[in-house]
Amino acid sequence: MTETNVNKPVSDRPPFGRKDDERLERKDPDRNILDRERINDGLKKWGLVIVFVLIVITFSILEPNTFPTARNAVNIINNAAPLIFLSLAATMALIVGEFDLSFPNVADLVTVIIGVLVTTYGMNSGLGIVGAVLIGMLVAMVFGAINGFFVAKAFIPSFVATLAVGSIAGGLELASQGGIGMGMKQISQIVLPPALQELGRTTFPGTPFKLSSVLAFAVAILLWLGLRGSTPGRRSYALGGNPMAAYLAGVPVVWLRLGVFTLIALLAATAGTVNLVERGYFNGASPPLLLQSYTAAFLGAAVLTKKKRFDVLGTLFSVFVLLVLTNGLSLMNQPRWIANVISGIVLVTAVVLNRPKHRKV
C-alpha cells in the first residue's frame, strides 16, 4: 500500500471509500430566496395591518377636519356592535367548515318579535322587557337548532339548509309585523319604550363607549379564549379541518354542529337586539350585513394567521378595517354603492389569499 492511499480519508458511511462525505458537499441555502420568502410571509401576515394604516392616513389627509378626530373614532366603535356579532357568527360557521346564510334573517326576526312585544303587548318595562328579549333569544335558538339538525342529522348541505331556514325566518318576520298595533299601525311609526331607548344610549361607566360595544368586545374575547383553550373549541377546529378524521377520533360531530349553529343564532339574536335598542325604533329595514360579515371572517383568516385558519381576533380587526373604510367614504359623501363594490372586491381578494397553494384541479 502506497503512502498516497494510506493518507486518503475513508468515509464511514456507504458507499465506503468515498473521498468526502456527502454531508460535507451540501451547499449553503440561498439567502436571497430565504429573504424573499420571509418578506412574502410577512406581507401575507401583516398586509391587512399595512392596508389599515394606509386607509387611515389617506382619509386623514383627505378629510383632516372630521376623520382623524377622537369623536369620529368613538363613533366608529359605538356603531360596531351589530357587525361584530354577525361577523362572529359567520366566523363560527366557517370554523366548523360550514356556511350559514340564515343568521341575518334570524336577527331581523328577533328584532321584530321584541319590538312587537314591547310596543303592542305591554312588555314595555322591567321584567317585561327582559321577558321579550328572552323570547326573542329562544326563537333564535330554535332556528339555530333546526339548522344544526338539517346539517348534522339530515346531511343537507349547510348552504342549502340555512338558505331555506333563512327564507322561513324572513317570512315569519313579515308575518310578525302584522301584530304591530293589532295590525292598525304602520311599522315605520313604532317607537320603542323610553327604557329601551335609554338602554341603547347608555355608555360603559367612565368611558364614552356604549354598553353594546363593550359587550361585543367581551363576547369576542370569550369566544377567542374558548376556541383556543377549551376542548369544544379545539374540536370545532378539528371538525372544520377534517370532519371524518374528527369523527373517527371520537369527536361528537352531531352535537358539536348542533351547538355551533345554536350559538350562531344566539349571536345573530344579540345583533338584532342591539340594533333595535340603539336605533330606538324598528321598521324592518335592517342594514344588509351578510356580505360584510363573511368578508371580515375571510379577511381575518387570510392575512392575520400563519395557519390560514379562521380566527376571532382576526375577524374583529377586519371588522374595523371595513368600518373605517365605510366611515371615510361616508365623510367624503361618496355613494353607498362604492362601499358595496369595495366590500365585494375585498371578499374575493381574501378568498384568493386563503385558497390552497398547490391545488391543480
Side-chain angles (χ1 to χ4, degrees), residues 198-264:
E198 183 63 27
L199 180 62
R201 294 190 293 264
T202 302
T203 59
F204 191 77
T207 71
F209 305 116
K210 291 182 179 179
L211 281 177
S212 58
S213 298
V214 176
L215 176 63
F217 277 99
V219 170
I221 293 173
L222 289 175
L223 273 180
W224 181 77
L225 292 174
L227 288 168
R228 293 298 184 93
S230 68
T231 299
R234 291 189 291 269
R235 286 176 171 177
S236 297
Y237 277 113
L239 176 60
N242 191 325
M244 182 55 67
Y247 173 78
L248 295 176
V251 174
V253 173
V254 173
W255 289 107
L256 189 58
R257 280 176 173 153
L258 283 170
V260 169
F261 276 105
T262 303
L263 176 60
I264 291 170

Short mmCIF file of all heavy atoms in Angstrom, two decimals, residues 198-264:
data_model
loop_
_atom_site.label_atom_id
_atom_site.label_comp_id
_atom_site.label_asym_id
_atom_site.label_seq_id
_atom_site.Cartn_x
_atom_site.Cartn_y
_atom_site.Cartn_z
N GLU A 198 -83.26 54.39 26.40
CA GLU A 198 -82.21 54.79 27.33
C GLU A 198 -81.11 53.73 27.39
O GLU A 198 -79.92 54.06 27.47
CB GLU A 198 -82.81 54.99 28.72
CG GLU A 198 -81.81 55.49 29.76
CD GLU A 198 -81.26 56.86 29.41
OE1 GLU A 198 -81.94 57.64 28.73
OE2 GLU A 198 -80.11 57.15 29.83
N LEU A 199 -81.50 52.47 27.33
CA LEU A 199 -80.51 51.39 27.33
C LEU A 199 -79.60 51.49 26.11
O LEU A 199 -78.39 51.25 26.20
CB LEU A 199 -81.21 50.04 27.36
CG LEU A 199 -80.31 48.80 27.35
CD1 LEU A 199 -79.42 48.78 28.59
CD2 LEU A 199 -81.15 47.52 27.26
N GLY A 200 -80.18 51.84 24.98
CA GLY A 200 -79.38 51.97 23.77
C GLY A 200 -78.40 53.12 23.83
O GLY A 200 -77.37 53.09 23.13
N ARG A 201 -78.66 54.13 24.66
CA ARG A 201 -77.75 55.28 24.77
C ARG A 201 -76.77 55.15 25.93
O ARG A 201 -75.87 55.98 26.07
CB ARG A 201 -78.56 56.57 24.95
CG ARG A 201 -79.40 56.95 23.74
CD ARG A 201 -79.97 58.36 23.92
NE ARG A 201 -80.94 58.39 25.01
CZ ARG A 201 -82.24 58.30 24.86
NH1 ARG A 201 -82.75 58.13 23.64
NH2 ARG A 201 -83.07 58.35 25.91
N THR A 202 -76.94 54.15 26.77
CA THR A 202 -76.11 54.01 27.96
C THR A 202 -74.68 53.67 27.58
O THR A 202 -74.43 52.82 26.71
CB THR A 202 -76.67 52.92 28.88
OG1 THR A 202 -78.01 53.25 29.23
CG2 THR A 202 -75.83 52.80 30.14
N THR A 203 -73.72 54.32 28.23
CA THR A 203 -72.31 54.07 28.00
C THR A 203 -71.71 53.33 29.17
O THR A 203 -72.24 53.34 30.29
CB THR A 203 -71.54 55.38 27.77
OG1 THR A 203 -71.69 56.23 28.93
CG2 THR A 203 -72.06 56.11 26.54
N PHE A 204 -70.61 52.67 28.91
CA PHE A 204 -69.89 51.98 29.98
C PHE A 204 -69.34 53.01 30.96
O PHE A 204 -68.81 54.04 30.53
CB PHE A 204 -68.76 51.14 29.39
CG PHE A 204 -68.14 50.19 30.37
CD1 PHE A 204 -68.77 49.01 30.70
CD2 PHE A 204 -66.92 50.49 30.96
CE1 PHE A 204 -68.20 48.12 31.60
CE2 PHE A 204 -66.34 49.61 31.86
CZ PHE A 204 -66.98 48.43 32.18
N PRO A 205 -69.47 52.77 32.26
CA PRO A 205 -69.05 53.77 33.25
C PRO A 205 -67.62 54.26 33.05
O PRO A 205 -66.69 53.47 32.91
CB PRO A 205 -69.19 53.03 34.58
CG PRO A 205 -70.23 51.99 34.32
CD PRO A 205 -70.05 51.57 32.90
N GLY A 206 -67.48 55.59 33.00
CA GLY A 206 -66.16 56.19 32.87
C GLY A 206 -65.61 56.25 31.47
O GLY A 206 -64.47 56.69 31.26
N THR A 207 -66.39 55.82 30.47
CA THR A 207 -65.93 55.84 29.08
C THR A 207 -67.02 56.42 28.19
O THR A 207 -68.19 56.46 28.57
CB THR A 207 -65.58 54.42 28.59
OG1 THR A 207 -66.80 53.67 28.44
CG2 THR A 207 -64.66 53.71 29.57
N PRO A 208 -66.65 56.84 26.97
CA PRO A 208 -67.67 57.30 26.02
C PRO A 208 -68.24 56.18 25.17
O PRO A 208 -69.01 56.43 24.24
CB PRO A 208 -66.89 58.29 25.14
CG PRO A 208 -65.50 57.75 25.13
CD PRO A 208 -65.28 57.11 26.48
N PHE A 209 -67.88 54.94 25.47
CA PHE A 209 -68.27 53.81 24.64
C PHE A 209 -69.58 53.18 25.14
O PHE A 209 -69.78 52.99 26.34
CB PHE A 209 -67.17 52.75 24.61
CG PHE A 209 -65.85 53.28 24.18
CD1 PHE A 209 -64.76 53.29 25.05
CD2 PHE A 209 -65.68 53.80 22.90
CE1 PHE A 209 -63.54 53.78 24.65
CE2 PHE A 209 -64.46 54.30 22.49
CZ PHE A 209 -63.38 54.30 23.37
N LYS A 210 -70.45 52.84 24.18
CA LYS A 210 -71.73 52.25 24.53
C LYS A 210 -71.55 50.87 25.15
O LYS A 210 -70.59 50.15 24.86
CB LYS A 210 -72.61 52.13 23.28
CG LYS A 210 -73.09 53.47 22.72
CD LYS A 210 -73.98 53.24 21.52
CE LYS A 210 -74.51 54.56 20.96
NZ LYS A 210 -75.37 54.34 19.77
N LEU A 211 -72.53 50.49 25.97
CA LEU A 211 -72.50 49.16 26.58
C LEU A 211 -72.51 48.06 25.53
O LEU A 211 -71.88 47.02 25.71
CB LEU A 211 -73.71 49.00 27.50
CG LEU A 211 -73.63 49.65 28.89
CD1 LEU A 211 -74.94 49.44 29.63
CD2 LEU A 211 -72.47 49.07 29.69
N SER A 212 -73.22 48.31 24.44
CA SER A 212 -73.28 47.29 23.38
C SER A 212 -71.92 47.02 22.77
O SER A 212 -71.58 45.86 22.49
CB SER A 212 -74.27 47.72 22.30
OG SER A 212 -73.90 48.98 21.74
N SER A 213 -71.12 48.06 22.58
CA SER A 213 -69.77 47.87 22.02
C SER A 213 -68.87 47.13 22.99
O SER A 213 -68.12 46.23 22.59
CB SER A 213 -69.16 49.23 21.66
OG SER A 213 -69.93 49.89 20.68
N VAL A 214 -68.96 47.49 24.27
CA VAL A 214 -68.17 46.78 25.28
C VAL A 214 -68.59 45.31 25.34
O VAL A 214 -67.74 44.41 25.44
CB VAL A 214 -68.33 47.46 26.65
CG1 VAL A 214 -67.59 46.68 27.74
CG2 VAL A 214 -67.82 48.89 26.60
N LEU A 215 -69.89 45.05 25.25
CA LEU A 215 -70.38 43.68 25.24
C LEU A 215 -69.86 42.91 24.04
O LEU A 215 -69.46 41.73 24.15
CB LEU A 215 -71.91 43.68 25.24
CG LEU A 215 -72.59 42.32 25.13
CD1 LEU A 215 -72.26 41.45 26.35
CD2 LEU A 215 -74.11 42.48 24.99
N ALA A 216 -69.83 43.55 22.88
CA ALA A 216 -69.34 42.89 21.67
C ALA A 216 -67.87 42.50 21.83
O ALA A 216 -67.47 41.38 21.47
CB ALA A 216 -69.53 43.80 20.46
N PHE A 217 -67.06 43.41 22.37
CA PHE A 217 -65.65 43.09 22.59
C PHE A 217 -65.50 41.95 23.60
O PHE A 217 -64.66 41.06 23.43
CB PHE A 217 -64.90 44.33 23.07
CG PHE A 217 -64.47 45.25 21.99
CD1 PHE A 217 -65.21 46.38 21.68
CD2 PHE A 217 -63.34 45.00 21.24
CE1 PHE A 217 -64.82 47.24 20.68
CE2 PHE A 217 -62.94 45.85 20.22
CZ PHE A 217 -63.68 46.98 19.94
N ALA A 218 -66.29 41.99 24.66
CA ALA A 218 -66.21 40.95 25.69
C ALA A 218 -66.57 39.58 25.12
O ALA A 218 -65.89 38.57 25.38
CB ALA A 218 -67.13 41.30 26.86
N VAL A 219 -67.63 39.53 24.31
CA VAL A 219 -68.04 38.26 23.70
C VAL A 219 -66.96 37.75 22.75
O VAL A 219 -66.65 36.54 22.72
CB VAL A 219 -69.38 38.43 22.97
CG1 VAL A 219 -69.70 37.20 22.14
CG2 VAL A 219 -70.50 38.68 23.97
N ALA A 220 -66.36 38.65 21.98
CA ALA A 220 -65.29 38.25 21.06
C ALA A 220 -64.11 37.65 21.81
O ALA A 220 -63.55 36.62 21.41
CB ALA A 220 -64.85 39.44 20.21
N ILE A 221 -63.71 38.27 22.90
CA ILE A 221 -62.57 37.77 23.67
C ILE A 221 -62.91 36.42 24.29
O ILE A 221 -62.09 35.48 24.29
CB ILE A 221 -62.18 38.79 24.75
CG1 ILE A 221 -61.61 40.05 24.09
CG2 ILE A 221 -61.15 38.19 25.71
CD1 ILE A 221 -61.34 41.18 25.05
N LEU A 222 -64.13 36.27 24.83
CA LEU A 222 -64.52 35.00 25.42
C LEU A 222 -64.55 33.89 24.36
O LEU A 222 -64.13 32.75 24.62
CB LEU A 222 -65.90 35.13 26.08
CG LEU A 222 -65.94 35.95 27.38
CD1 LEU A 222 -67.38 36.09 27.86
CD2 LEU A 222 -65.09 35.29 28.46
N LEU A 223 -65.05 34.20 23.18
CA LEU A 223 -65.05 33.21 22.10
C LEU A 223 -63.63 32.82 21.71
O LEU A 223 -63.34 31.63 21.49
CB LEU A 223 -65.80 33.76 20.89
CG LEU A 223 -67.31 33.58 20.83
CD1 LEU A 223 -67.85 34.20 19.55
CD2 LEU A 223 -67.67 32.11 20.90
N TRP A 224 -62.76 33.81 21.61
CA TRP A 224 -61.37 33.52 21.24
C TRP A 224 -60.71 32.63 22.29
O TRP A 224 -60.04 31.64 21.93
CB TRP A 224 -60.61 34.84 21.10
CG TRP A 224 -59.18 34.64 20.70
CD1 TRP A 224 -58.72 34.35 19.45
CD2 TRP A 224 -58.03 34.74 21.54
NE1 TRP A 224 -57.34 34.25 19.45
CE2 TRP A 224 -56.91 34.49 20.73
CE3 TRP A 224 -57.85 35.03 22.89
CZ2 TRP A 224 -55.60 34.50 21.23
CZ3 TRP A 224 -56.55 35.04 23.40
CH2 TRP A 224 -55.45 34.78 22.58
N LEU A 225 -60.90 32.93 23.55
CA LEU A 225 -60.33 32.10 24.61
C LEU A 225 -60.93 30.70 24.60
O LEU A 225 -60.22 29.70 24.79
CB LEU A 225 -60.56 32.77 25.97
CG LEU A 225 -59.80 34.08 26.22
CD1 LEU A 225 -60.23 34.70 27.55
CD2 LEU A 225 -58.29 33.86 26.20
N GLY A 226 -62.24 30.62 24.37
CA GLY A 226 -62.88 29.32 24.34
C GLY A 226 -62.41 28.46 23.19
O GLY A 226 -62.19 27.24 23.34
N LEU A 227 -62.23 29.06 22.02
CA LEU A 227 -61.78 28.30 20.86
C LEU A 227 -60.33 27.85 21.00
O LEU A 227 -59.95 26.78 20.52
CB LEU A 227 -61.93 29.14 19.59
CG LEU A 227 -63.37 29.37 19.11
CD1 LEU A 227 -63.41 30.44 18.04
CD2 LEU A 227 -63.97 28.06 18.59
N ARG A 228 -59.52 28.66 21.65
CA ARG A 228 -58.10 28.32 21.80
C ARG A 228 -57.83 27.39 22.99
O ARG A 228 -56.92 26.57 22.94
CB ARG A 228 -57.28 29.60 21.97
CG ARG A 228 -57.23 30.50 20.74
CD ARG A 228 -56.59 29.78 19.57
NE ARG A 228 -56.45 30.64 18.42
CZ ARG A 228 -55.36 31.37 18.15
NH1 ARG A 228 -54.34 31.35 18.98
NH2 ARG A 228 -55.30 32.11 17.06
N GLY A 229 -58.60 27.56 24.08
CA GLY A 229 -58.22 26.88 25.31
C GLY A 229 -59.16 25.81 25.80
O GLY A 229 -58.87 25.16 26.82
N SER A 230 -60.29 25.58 25.13
CA SER A 230 -61.25 24.59 25.62
C SER A 230 -61.32 23.40 24.66
O SER A 230 -60.99 23.50 23.48
CB SER A 230 -62.64 25.21 25.77
OG SER A 230 -63.19 25.53 24.51
N THR A 231 -61.80 22.28 25.19
CA THR A 231 -61.95 21.08 24.37
C THR A 231 -62.97 21.28 23.24
O THR A 231 -62.68 20.92 22.09
CB THR A 231 -62.35 19.89 25.25
OG1 THR A 231 -61.32 19.66 26.22
CG2 THR A 231 -62.53 18.64 24.41
N PRO A 232 -64.15 21.85 23.50
CA PRO A 232 -65.07 22.09 22.38
C PRO A 232 -64.49 23.01 21.30
O PRO A 232 -64.75 22.82 20.11
CB PRO A 232 -66.29 22.74 23.05
CG PRO A 232 -66.23 22.27 24.46
CD PRO A 232 -64.78 22.19 24.80
N GLY A 233 -63.68 24.00 21.73
CA GLY A 233 -63.07 24.89 20.75
C GLY A 233 -62.09 24.15 19.85
O GLY A 233 -62.11 24.31 18.62
N ARG A 234 -61.24 23.35 20.45
CA ARG A 234 -60.27 22.59 19.64
C ARG A 234 -60.99 21.57 18.76
O ARG A 234 -60.57 21.32 17.62
CB ARG A 234 -59.27 21.90 20.56
CG ARG A 234 -58.32 22.87 21.26
CD ARG A 234 -57.21 22.13 21.98
NE ARG A 234 -57.72 21.40 23.13
CZ ARG A 234 -57.78 21.89 24.36
NH1 ARG A 234 -57.37 23.12 24.59
NH2 ARG A 234 -58.24 21.15 25.35
N ARG A 235 -62.06 21.00 19.28
CA ARG A 235 -62.82 20.06 18.46
C ARG A 235 -63.51 20.76 17.30
O ARG A 235 -63.67 20.15 16.22
CB ARG A 235 -63.86 19.35 19.34
CG ARG A 235 -63.26 18.31 20.27
CD ARG A 235 -64.31 17.70 21.18
NE ARG A 235 -63.79 16.56 21.93
CZ ARG A 235 -64.47 15.87 22.84
NH1 ARG A 235 -65.74 16.22 23.11
NH2 ARG A 235 -63.92 14.85 23.46
N SER A 236 -63.89 21.99 17.49
CA SER A 236 -64.51 22.75 16.39
C SER A 236 -63.53 22.94 15.25
O SER A 236 -63.88 22.77 14.08
CB SER A 236 -65.01 24.10 16.91
OG SER A 236 -66.01 23.95 17.88
N TYR A 237 -62.30 23.31 15.59
CA TYR A 237 -61.27 23.44 14.55
C TYR A 237 -60.99 22.09 13.88
O TYR A 237 -60.79 22.02 12.66
CB TYR A 237 -59.99 24.01 15.14
CG TYR A 237 -59.98 25.51 15.24
CD1 TYR A 237 -59.99 26.15 16.48
CD2 TYR A 237 -59.95 26.31 14.10
CE1 TYR A 237 -59.98 27.53 16.58
CE2 TYR A 237 -59.94 27.69 14.18
CZ TYR A 237 -59.96 28.29 15.43
OH TYR A 237 -59.95 29.67 15.52
N ALA A 238 -60.98 21.03 14.67
CA ALA A 238 -60.76 19.70 14.10
C ALA A 238 -61.88 19.31 13.15
O ALA A 238 -61.65 18.75 12.08
CB ALA A 238 -60.63 18.67 15.22
N LEU A 239 -63.11 19.63 13.54
CA LEU A 239 -64.25 19.33 12.68
C LEU A 239 -64.18 20.10 11.38
O LEU A 239 -64.46 19.56 10.30
CB LEU A 239 -65.54 19.67 13.43
CG LEU A 239 -66.86 19.50 12.66
CD1 LEU A 239 -67.03 18.07 12.22
CD2 LEU A 239 -68.04 19.94 13.52
N GLY A 240 -63.79 21.36 11.44
CA GLY A 240 -63.67 22.15 10.22
C GLY A 240 -62.52 21.70 9.34
O GLY A 240 -62.59 21.83 8.12
N GLY A 241 -61.46 21.17 9.95
CA GLY A 241 -60.30 20.74 9.17
C GLY A 241 -60.53 19.43 8.45
O GLY A 241 -60.21 19.28 7.26
N ASN A 242 -61.11 18.45 9.15
CA ASN A 242 -61.36 17.14 8.54
C ASN A 242 -62.48 16.46 9.31
O ASN A 242 -62.24 15.83 10.35
CB ASN A 242 -60.09 16.28 8.57
CG ASN A 242 -60.21 15.03 7.71
OD1 ASN A 242 -61.27 14.44 7.61
ND2 ASN A 242 -59.11 14.63 7.11
N PRO A 243 -63.72 16.56 8.84
CA PRO A 243 -64.85 16.00 9.59
C PRO A 243 -64.74 14.50 9.84
O PRO A 243 -65.05 14.02 10.93
CB PRO A 243 -66.06 16.33 8.71
CG PRO A 243 -65.62 17.47 7.86
CD PRO A 243 -64.16 17.28 7.64
N MET A 244 -64.29 13.74 8.85
CA MET A 244 -64.19 12.29 9.02
C MET A 244 -63.13 11.93 10.05
O MET A 244 -63.35 11.05 10.90
CB MET A 244 -63.86 11.63 7.67
CG MET A 244 -63.79 10.10 7.75
SD MET A 244 -65.30 9.35 8.44
CE MET A 244 -66.47 9.73 7.14
N ALA A 245 -61.99 12.60 9.99
CA ALA A 245 -60.95 12.34 10.99
C ALA A 245 -61.42 12.72 12.38
O ALA A 245 -61.14 12.01 13.36
CB ALA A 245 -59.68 13.11 10.63
N ALA A 246 -62.15 13.82 12.49
CA ALA A 246 -62.68 14.22 13.79
C ALA A 246 -63.67 13.18 14.31
O ALA A 246 -63.66 12.83 15.51
CB ALA A 246 -63.36 15.58 13.68
N TYR A 247 -64.50 12.65 13.43
CA TYR A 247 -65.47 11.63 13.84
C TYR A 247 -64.76 10.37 14.31
O TYR A 247 -65.12 9.78 15.35
CB TYR A 247 -66.40 11.32 12.66
CG TYR A 247 -67.34 10.16 12.89
CD1 TYR A 247 -68.48 10.32 13.68
CD2 TYR A 247 -67.09 8.92 12.33
CE1 TYR A 247 -69.33 9.25 13.90
CE2 TYR A 247 -67.93 7.85 12.54
CZ TYR A 247 -69.06 8.02 13.33
OH TYR A 247 -69.90 6.97 13.54
N LEU A 248 -63.76 9.93 13.55
CA LEU A 248 -63.02 8.72 13.92
C LEU A 248 -62.23 8.90 15.21
O LEU A 248 -61.94 7.94 15.92
CB LEU A 248 -62.09 8.30 12.78
CG LEU A 248 -62.79 7.88 11.48
CD1 LEU A 248 -61.76 7.59 10.40
CD2 LEU A 248 -63.68 6.66 11.72
N ALA A 249 -61.87 10.16 15.51
CA ALA A 249 -61.13 10.44 16.74
C ALA A 249 -62.04 10.55 17.96
O ALA A 249 -61.56 10.78 19.07
CB ALA A 249 -60.32 11.71 16.58
N GLY A 250 -63.34 10.41 17.77
CA GLY A 250 -64.25 10.43 18.89
C GLY A 250 -64.94 11.75 19.15
O GLY A 250 -65.60 11.92 20.18
N VAL A 251 -64.80 12.70 18.24
CA VAL A 251 -65.47 13.99 18.41
C VAL A 251 -66.97 13.80 18.20
O VAL A 251 -67.39 13.22 17.19
CB VAL A 251 -64.92 15.03 17.42
CG1 VAL A 251 -65.71 16.32 17.49
CG2 VAL A 251 -63.45 15.30 17.70
N PRO A 252 -67.80 14.29 19.12
CA PRO A 252 -69.27 14.18 18.94
C PRO A 252 -69.74 15.17 17.86
O PRO A 252 -70.23 16.26 18.16
CB PRO A 252 -69.82 14.53 20.31
CG PRO A 252 -68.78 15.39 20.94
CD PRO A 252 -67.46 14.91 20.41
N VAL A 253 -69.61 14.77 16.62
CA VAL A 253 -69.82 15.66 15.49
C VAL A 253 -71.25 16.21 15.47
O VAL A 253 -71.46 17.41 15.25
CB VAL A 253 -69.50 14.92 14.17
CG1 VAL A 253 -69.88 15.78 12.98
CG2 VAL A 253 -68.02 14.55 14.12
N VAL A 254 -72.23 15.35 15.71
CA VAL A 254 -73.63 15.79 15.64
C VAL A 254 -73.91 16.86 16.68
O VAL A 254 -74.43 17.94 16.37
CB VAL A 254 -74.58 14.58 15.83
CG1 VAL A 254 -76.02 15.07 15.94
CG2 VAL A 254 -74.43 13.61 14.67
N TRP A 255 -73.56 16.60 17.93
CA TRP A 255 -73.83 17.55 19.00
C TRP A 255 -73.01 18.83 18.84
O TRP A 255 -73.49 19.92 19.18
CB TRP A 255 -73.55 16.91 20.35
CG TRP A 255 -74.55 15.88 20.71
CD1 TRP A 255 -74.38 14.52 20.72
CD2 TRP A 255 -75.92 16.10 21.08
NE1 TRP A 255 -75.53 13.88 21.07
CE2 TRP A 255 -76.50 14.83 21.31
CE3 TRP A 255 -76.71 17.23 21.24
CZ2 TRP A 255 -77.83 14.67 21.69
CZ3 TRP A 255 -78.03 17.09 21.63
CH2 TRP A 255 -78.58 15.82 21.85
N LEU A 256 -71.81 18.69 18.32
CA LEU A 256 -70.98 19.88 18.12
C LEU A 256 -71.58 20.79 17.06
O LEU A 256 -71.64 22.02 17.23
CB LEU A 256 -69.56 19.46 17.73
CG LEU A 256 -68.51 20.57 17.69
CD1 LEU A 256 -68.39 21.27 19.03
CD2 LEU A 256 -67.16 20.00 17.27
N ARG A 257 -72.05 20.21 15.97
CA ARG A 257 -72.70 21.02 14.94
C ARG A 257 -73.98 21.66 15.46
O ARG A 257 -74.26 22.84 15.18
CB ARG A 257 -72.99 20.16 13.71
CG ARG A 257 -71.76 19.94 12.82
CD ARG A 257 -72.07 19.01 11.69
NE ARG A 257 -70.96 18.93 10.75
CZ ARG A 257 -70.70 17.88 9.98
NH1 ARG A 257 -71.48 16.81 10.04
NH2 ARG A 257 -69.67 17.89 9.14
N LEU A 258 -74.77 20.91 16.20
CA LEU A 258 -75.98 21.48 16.79
C LEU A 258 -75.64 22.66 17.70
O LEU A 258 -76.29 23.71 17.66
CB LEU A 258 -76.72 20.41 17.59
CG LEU A 258 -77.54 19.40 16.79
CD1 LEU A 258 -78.01 18.26 17.69
CD2 LEU A 258 -78.73 20.06 16.12
N GLY A 259 -74.61 22.48 18.52
CA GLY A 259 -74.23 23.54 19.43
C GLY A 259 -73.72 24.77 18.71
O GLY A 259 -74.05 25.91 19.08
N VAL A 260 -72.91 24.58 17.68
CA VAL A 260 -72.34 25.72 16.95
C VAL A 260 -73.43 26.49 16.23
O VAL A 260 -73.46 27.73 16.27
CB VAL A 260 -71.25 25.24 15.97
CG1 VAL A 260 -70.86 26.38 15.02
CG2 VAL A 260 -70.03 24.76 16.74
N PHE A 261 -74.35 25.80 15.56
CA PHE A 261 -75.42 26.51 14.85
C PHE A 261 -76.35 27.22 15.83
O PHE A 261 -76.88 28.31 15.52
CB PHE A 261 -76.21 25.55 13.96
CG PHE A 261 -75.58 25.32 12.62
CD1 PHE A 261 -74.91 24.15 12.32
CD2 PHE A 261 -75.65 26.31 11.64
CE1 PHE A 261 -74.32 23.95 11.09
CE2 PHE A 261 -75.06 26.12 10.40
CZ PHE A 261 -74.38 24.93 10.12
N THR A 262 -76.56 26.65 17.01
CA THR A 262 -77.35 27.34 18.02
C THR A 262 -76.63 28.59 18.51
O THR A 262 -77.25 29.65 18.71
CB THR A 262 -77.64 26.40 19.20
OG1 THR A 262 -78.31 25.22 18.71
CG2 THR A 262 -78.53 27.08 20.23
N LEU A 263 -75.32 28.49 18.70
CA LEU A 263 -74.53 29.65 19.11
C LEU A 263 -74.56 30.74 18.04
O LEU A 263 -74.66 31.94 18.36
CB LEU A 263 -73.09 29.22 19.39
CG LEU A 263 -72.10 30.34 19.74
CD1 LEU A 263 -72.53 31.09 21.00
CD2 LEU A 263 -70.69 29.77 19.91
N ILE A 264 -74.50 30.34 16.79
CA ILE A 264 -74.58 31.31 15.69
C ILE A 264 -75.90 32.08 15.76
O ILE A 264 -75.94 33.31 15.60
CB ILE A 264 -74.43 30.60 14.34
CG1 ILE A 264 -73.00 30.07 14.17
CG2 ILE A 264 -74.79 31.53 13.18
CD1 ILE A 264 -72.83 29.15 12.98
#
